[in-house]
Each structure stands twice: as C-alpha cells, then as structure tokens.
Amino acid sequence: MNRDLVKIQGFGVDSFDFDEAVNYACTHSGQIVTINPEMISTALKMPDFANVISSANLVVPDGIGVEIGLKILGHNVKRIPGIELGKALIVKFSKDNKKIAMIGAKPEVITLAVSNLKAEIPNINIVYSHDGYFSDDKEILAEVAAVNPDLVLVALGSPKQEFFINSLKAMIPNATMIGLGGSFDVWAGVVSRAPKIYQKLGLEWLYRLSKEPKRLKRVFPTLPLFVLNVCKERLFQAKC
C-alpha cells in the first residue's frame, strides 16, 4: 500500500480512509501526525515544527477544519479522529501481544487510562507508562527506548508531543508512534467525548468549546483564518 498525499497550505496529508490508515500504520513504522488547523497555523510560524510534520510517516486529517479545507481544494478526504485511530491501533497491536508504551497527561489520569484499557482490551501489553509532567526529555526517551515498544502513544499536547516522537523515532525506528492530545483523559473517564451526533457532524470542537469556554481563544481566529487562507490557496490554483 503506497501513500497518496494531497496538499493543503503546503503540507501533505494522506488520503487513506480510516481502515486503510489503520492497516498502513500497523504495517509501516514511524511517526503518525493527526493534523488539524491549529497545528498547521503553528507550523507555518515554526519551521522546525513544519519539518517534523513533513517528515512524518503518516499524516491524517484529525480536525474537521482540515477536511473542509481539503474539500475546498477539491479533495474528498474524510476526517480520521486521532482518538479513534489510537484506540484501533491499540486493539490491533494487542491481538499480537505487541508491546505498548504510553506517555502523557496527569499522573492520576494516565494511571486510570492504563487501568481502563487493561480492563477493556484483552491481551493488551503495556510495558511502559509515564505522566506528562517531566522536565528531562532525554531521560524519558531513554526509558522508552530501553523497553523497545512496538506502539508508542504520546499525549503531551501539540507541538510538544510531535517533537518528542520525532526524537524517539531515531532511537526505535521499528516502532509506530502517534500523538494523541487529550485522548488519555477520555480513556481515563475524566473527560467525556462529544455525543455521537456531534462526532458525526464533525462538531466535536463545538461541544468541547461549550464545556471549556477558555478554548475559544485557541479556536478563534485560527479556524476562520485557516479557511480563509485555504480559499486563497484555491483561488491561486485556479489562476495557475
């Protein structure tokens, strides 16, 4: 299975559907980036972060804004929620008793997340877990590399988690690694995911905003500016 990338704001995004993305991630090691408009906005201002995204082994459109943007550009690529991709990978890797590492979230959150996943998924083999409150990346990177996991789930928030994974993949090149933001909080049961209707309509961001109004400054003006810039990109393409 070969990658088929489409471009948005200068970044390549894989056009796999959900099942294809899962299969590709299970058969190809490396870094998975779950891209959204906030990450693209940050990457356009931060060349080092842009390089991390561009060098990723799989880039899936996590945010509904990216799906909309790709449609504006003429690409029918569906959103792949990072939390669902992460869970599907855990299930797939667990069937073969492969080793899993989890890094991120608050101490009590990751403890609950690990406990809940062990209760939910047969044969899950979590060989390493650590909360996200550490100051020495090198120490944690070395600890993870020492257990040589097959799947690494990192929830440190973006872009920290992407930089962490980018450093780790040189140490354990045969592992599959993915950044998952706040997924551990959901798996721990301390945060509720949006109801199915919100998920289906691609409005999880709106549900989270209603629960956490402080996120408003993260969504606006980033999302409308992103859509505006994509429209400009479309007009530029039409002129060429």
Side-chain angles (χ1 to χ4, degrees):
M1 183 186 297
N2 295 319
R3 298 178 71 189
D4 182 18
L5 297 173
V6 293
K7 288 279 189 175
I8 184 167
Q9 294 289 280
F11 297 97
V13 177
D14 287 277
S15 57
F16 294 134
D17 63 24
F18 185 85
D19 290 337
E20 290 171 339
V22 172
N23 289 333
Y24 187 88
C26 288
T27 55
H28 295 75
S29 61
Q31 180 168 13
I32 302 170
V33 168
T34 57
I35 201 166
N36 60 37
E38 293 174 62
M39 292 171 67
I40 290 176
S41 177
T42 300
L44 290 173
K45 303 170 188 173
M46 189 184 297
D48 287 351
F49 186 40
N51 290 336
V52 169
I53 294 175
S54 298
S55 65
N57 304 87
L58 178 65
V59 180
V60 299
D62 179 45
I64 187 63
V66 176
E67 180 181 331
I68 292 171
L70 288 171
K71 283 185 179 179
I72 291 171
L73 296 173
H75 306 298
N76 186 26
V77 180
K78 297 297 183 183
R79 176 185 176 227
I80 297 177
I83 188 170
E84 294 178 14
L85 179 58
K87 178 65 74 68
L89 292 177
I90 293 173
V91 171
K92 283 272 191 178
F93 277 73
S94 295
K95 285 181 179 178
D96 295 324
N97 199 36
K98 291 186 175 180
K99 295 184 290 185
I100 297 172
M102 296 175 61
I103 304 99
K106 296 177 180 178
E108 63 273 18
V109 168
I110 193 166
T111 298
L112 278 170
V114 168
S115 177
N116 290 344
L117 288 170
K118 286 182 176 179
E120 177 186 354
I121 301 172
N123 301 321
I124 192 169
N125 183 19
I126 299 175
V127 296
Y128 180 88
S129 63
H130 198 289
D131 63 75
Y133 290 77
F134 52 86
S135 57
D136 188 351
D137 281 17
K138 290 182 179 179
E139 180 182 349
I140 305 302
L141 287 167
E143 289 179 359
V144 177
V147 298
N148 194 28
D150 301 291
L151 175 64
V152 182
L153 313 165
V154 184
L156 299 174
S158 184
K160 184 176 180 180
Q161 63 192 17
E162 283 75 33
F163 281 120
F164 183 91
I165 291 172
N166 189 61
S167 297
L168 185 60
K169 72 177 184 178
M171 303 170 72
I172 45 174
N174 294 323
T176 297
M177 293 167 273
I178 182 170
L180 291 174
S183 298
F184 291 6
D185 296 85
V186 176
W187 295 341
V190 298
V191 171
S192 298
R193 197 175 173 195
K196 291 291 184 181
I197 185 63
Y198 283 84
Q199 297 177 36
K200 185 175 181 179
L201 295 174
L203 295 175
E204 285 190 80
W205 64 272
L206 183 59
Y207 178 82
R208 291 181 67 186
L209 192 61
S210 69
K211 298 296 182 180
E212 301 176 65
K214 64 181 180 180
R215 293 177 58 87
L216 182 64
K217 63 181 180 181
R218 289 178 55 186
V219 176
F220 297 98
T222 301
L223 184 57
L225 282 177
F226 172 76
V227 174
L228 177 62
N229 287 334
V230 172
C231 289
K232 290 179 180 177
E233 184 178 353
R234 176 65 175 177
L235 289 173
F236 179 79
Q237 288 179 352
K239 290 178 181 179
C240 292

